Amino acid sequence: MTGRGCRDGQGNAERKHMIDQEKIRKAVKLLLEGIGEDPDREGLLETPDRVARMYGEILAGMDTDVSQPLSRVFAVDSSEMVLEKDIAFYSMCEHHLMPFYGKAHIAYVPDGKVLGLSKLARTVEVYARRPQLQEQLTVQAVMEYLKPRGVMVLLEAEHMCMTMRGVKKPGSRTVTTAVRGIFETDPLLQERFFHMLGD
Ligand code: ZN
């Protein structure tokens, strides 16, 4: 196993990083000591193990290759926008390792091929299960693997690192958009995206 791959361009940085449960257990024990807890008291004895297993699940995207959901494509003649909206996701922000969760809406304009149904949702799921920034989720991967004429992604999420600490505004959502390809140069297409979202 090599070290962490380069994070930019997500798609071409595909890699397998098996989660090391033993390291997580040690780290959680240290963390407990660091905050002044006694990791050997009864209530905490199983905690490092529990957290390690939990991370194995919620960060399973580290061990999953995103090219899987994105490789199943079908030929089409149409170049009409395809929109998949309200894809619920749970992720972890890479700045604080705190959850952020919300909905993703992804549109693309095909260039001869479309993805199988639910594959965008599956792609969001893989990326969400890696520590990262909301802005980066999926857009680059869709561009690289599907090679459509354009992609637009809108994400709305509540960040626990904002609502539990700092400004403490429960329920406030961070909305980000990312556009690539034809969406960047065609404001009408962006308008249609927002219109279709509203329907
Ligand atoms: Zn954060």
Side-chain angles (χ1 to χ4, degrees):
M1 190 176 82
T2 54
R4 285 180 67 85
C6 127
R7 287 304 312 250
D8 56 30
Q10 292 187 3
N12 57 30
E14 266 320 300
R15 68 271 186 245
K16 291 253 177 205
H17 291 283
M18 303 313 285
I19 287 176
D20 186 333
Q21 302 250 336
E22 184 51 33
K23 268 194 181 162
I24 302 174
R25 277 193 287 273
K26 280 185 192 156
V28 173
K29 200 166 176 227
L30 263 181
L31 181 69
L32 288 169
E33 287 170 10
I35 62 171
E37 263 292 358
D38 170 14
D40 292 323
R41 75 173 169 82
E42 203 188 336
L44 292 176
L45 270 179
E46 302 289 321
T47 299
D49 195 47
R50 238 180 257 123
V51 173
R53 276 184 279 123
M54 180 188 71
Y55 276 177
E57 183 184 338
I58 63 179
L59 295 177
M62 297 301 292
D63 291 343
T64 314
D65 193 336
V66 78
S67 62
Q68 275 174 349
L70 287 175
S71 61
R72 190 114 176 82
V73 295
F74 302 92
V76 285
D77 289 331
S78 140
S79 55
E80 286 296 308
M81 187 196 309
V82 177
L83 169 68
E84 193 149 325
K85 59 182 182 180
D86 296 324
I87 305 169
F89 70 86
Y90 291 83
S91 192
M92 296 277 266
C93 91
E94 67 182 26
H95 289 160
H96 303 94
L97 294 184
M98 293 278 280
F100 68 97
Y101 51 92
K103 281 177 181 171
H105 317 281
I106 307 179
Y108 64 92
V109 176
D111 188 14
K113 49 190 183 178
V114 291
L115 289 166
L117 283 175
S118 83
K119 297 306 180 208
L120 283 177
R122 180 76 194 109
T123 306
V124 169
E125 178 77 3
V126 173
Y127 276 118
R129 286 171 183 265
R130 294 176 185 175
Q132 68 187 293
L133 297 175
Q134 171 170 335
E135 303 84 288
Q136 293 171 346
L137 215 85
T138 73
V139 67
Q140 194 60 31
V142 174
M143 270 319 266
E144 279 172 24
Y145 285 95
L146 185 63
K147 298 191 170 43
R149 298 176 66 202
V151 179
M152 181 157 180
V153 177
L154 186 143
L155 291 146
E156 37 187 320
E158 178 169 351
H159 289 245
M160 293 308 285
C161 58
M162 281 172 65
T163 54
M164 242 180 110
R165 60 176 275 285
V167 289
K168 290 201 182 75
K169 288 271 181 286
S172 70
R173 290 179 305 166
T174 303
V175 180
T176 54
T177 56
V179 291
R180 296 284 190 282
I182 193 174
F183 280 95
E184 288 177 283
T185 49
D186 189 345
L188 280 177
L189 205 54
Q190 290 198 22
E191 223 168 90
R192 266 187 60 212
F193 171 88
F194 286 116
H195 186 77
M196 283 166 78
L197 267 194
D199 285 346

